[in-house]
Amino acid sequence: THPSIHPSITMTSLTVKRVFVTGGTGFLGYKICRALALRGYEVIALSRSGTHPTTPRPAWSSSVTWLTGDCLSPSTYESTLATVDAVIHSVGSLFEDTRYKKAINMEGGIVNSVGIMAGMVGDGARRIMGNAHSGASGGGEVREKSNLEIMNRDTALSVAEAFEKALSSRPSITLSSDTSTRGKPPFILISASPWLPSQVVDKRYTLAKMEAENGVMGIASRANAFRPVIFRPALMYDESRPVTIPIAGLNAAVKMVESLIGVRQPMVYNPIRTDRVAEAVCAALTGSEISGIYGVEDIEKLADKVP
């Protein structure tokens, strides 16, 4: 594990103009693209659709290049990485069943969306009870890689490897054994709090995020080509996606009950708005000394410092 860095920051400016955002049409990625575009960045947003997710398109979206590609296929975006100053990886999946993404986007109406989300939370609770009663599965059993591992770990490592490769080929980037990342191009990974309640979130999700963190930090230290910044938000919500609000509220309620019955955890994270995470990303881009792992409180502090 890596220590959290609590920023009481005097921002040191770093020139960043072109930013590559994976998952640019997603729940958080879209807000990151918007925050960047409104602050004058040139944004390249990677997604499988390669199009702006809504119509009519807002004015700020004209400064975003909507690129079709797949994080697991570097050939679809590696030429773009050769031209950018920073990478933000926001791809992820909270549930194995990706129907929840449509529910968050309110496809099919709010009643249908709430029903899907409630069903998934119920499935999680039943899975936890089933594991408790049945015990560990037999040793030696071979299992297939889950969608949670692919989306939350493998995509991050694929993009980080491709970014390191692109940077190492630039004559302006000098790779060295110096462990300082100050002034290096940033790679910002949107991870997750390790203390999300298992009543809501599959533990495989959290494990995959932690493996992604370790992998990205390892890639960064191997050649010291980029500056790793890892955000660990808790469950995120957005007023424009009403179905996310009760889910975030459930997280807060679980933490409250745990405190009342005397369950103590090392760190307690509150739900956080997507806009705040996006603002913190903007701050992390230009703060050349910002590196390491940031929990929710640290993310909020960074968001307060963005112009």
Side-chain angles (χ1 to χ4, degrees):
T1 60
H2 307 282
S4 178
I5 298 176
H6 300 274
S8 52
I9 299 170
T10 301
M11 299 291 283
T12 302
S13 180
L14 180 70
T15 300
V16 174
K17 296 179 179 178
R18 285 172 56 85
V19 183
F20 184 70
V21 181
T22 65
T25 60
F27 177 51
L28 175 62
Y30 183 75
K31 287 301 182 76
I32 292 174
C33 289
R34 178 180 182 274
L36 292 170
L38 291 176
R39 289 169 173 81
Y41 291 96
E42 183 181 351
V43 183
I44 301 94
L46 183 77
S47 67
R48 290 181 178 178
S49 67
T51 59
H52 186 275
T54 63
T55 53
R57 293 174 54 160
W60 61 263
S61 67
S62 62
S63 61
V64 178
T65 300
W66 304 94
L67 179 67
T68 303
D70 183 344
C71 290
L72 296 172
S73 299
S75 61
T76 63
Y77 57 86
E78 58 189 1
S79 61
T80 300
L81 289 182
T83 68
V84 301
D85 306 309
V87 171
I88 302 161
H89 185 70
S90 72
V91 169
S93 184
L94 187 60
F95 296 103
E96 180 80 19
D97 186 343
T98 57
R99 287 183 303 155
Y100 87 95
K101 292 180 180 285
K102 293 184 177 180
I104 287 176
N105 291 327
M106 304 295 289
E107 296 179 22
I110 187 168
V111 174
N112 180 63
S113 296
V114 171
I116 290 174
M117 297 300 288
M120 288 183 177
V121 172
D123 289 344
R126 285 189 289 274
R127 183 189 64 254
I128 292 168
M129 293 302 295
N131 290 343
H133 288 299
S134 62
S137 58
E141 183 177 321
V142 178
R143 65 172 182 83
E144 293 183 2
K145 186 183 294 186
S146 73
N147 187 58
L148 292 172
E149 292 167 316
I150 294 170
M151 294 294 289
N152 297 302
R153 181 193 63 205
D154 296 354
T155 59
L157 300 184
S158 178
V159 176
E161 291 274 9
F163 190 40
E164 182 207 5
K165 180 180 177 182
L167 291 173
S168 65
S169 65
R170 295 185 192 178
S172 59
I173 300 293
T174 301
L175 305 185
S176 70
S177 58
D178 180 6
T179 58
S180 173
T181 59
R182 188 181 184 90
K184 299 289 185 180
F187 182 96
I188 302 177
L189 171 66
I190 307 299
S191 185
S193 164
W195 306 111
L196 295 174
S198 59
Q199 296 89 338
V200 180
V201 177
D202 191 323
K203 65 180 180 181
R204 293 176 300 169
Y205 167 81
T206 306
L207 178 60
K209 287 290 191 182
M210 297 304 104
E211 290 174 343
E213 290 183 11
N214 288 329
V216 167
M217 296 294 276
I219 294 167
S221 63
R222 183 173 64 203
N224 197 30
F226 60 76
R227 170 169 54 93
V229 182
I230 296 173
F231 282 1
R232 286 180 172 179
L235 292 177
M236 293 178 283
Y237 67 96
D238 188 332
E239 290 85 351
S240 68
R241 312 283 179 89
V243 74
T244 64
I245 296 175
I247 299 298
L250 178 58
N251 181 37
V254 168
K255 296 300 183 185
M256 183 180 296
V257 170
E258 287 176 342
S259 66
L260 290 174
I261 64 176
V263 175
R264 299 178 61 85
Q265 292 184 339
M267 306 178 80
V268 177
Y269 289 153
N270 295 321
I272 187 170
R273 291 176 57 234
T274 53
D275 285 337
R276 295 293 285 170
V277 179
E279 290 166 355
V281 164
C282 294
L285 283 179
T286 56
S288 64
E289 73 282 14
I290 297 174
S291 179
I293 297 176
Y294 289 74
V296 171
E297 291 182 4
D298 298 338
I299 294 170
E300 292 278 11
K301 290 177 183 178
L302 276 177
D304 289 337
K305 296 180 180 296
V306 71

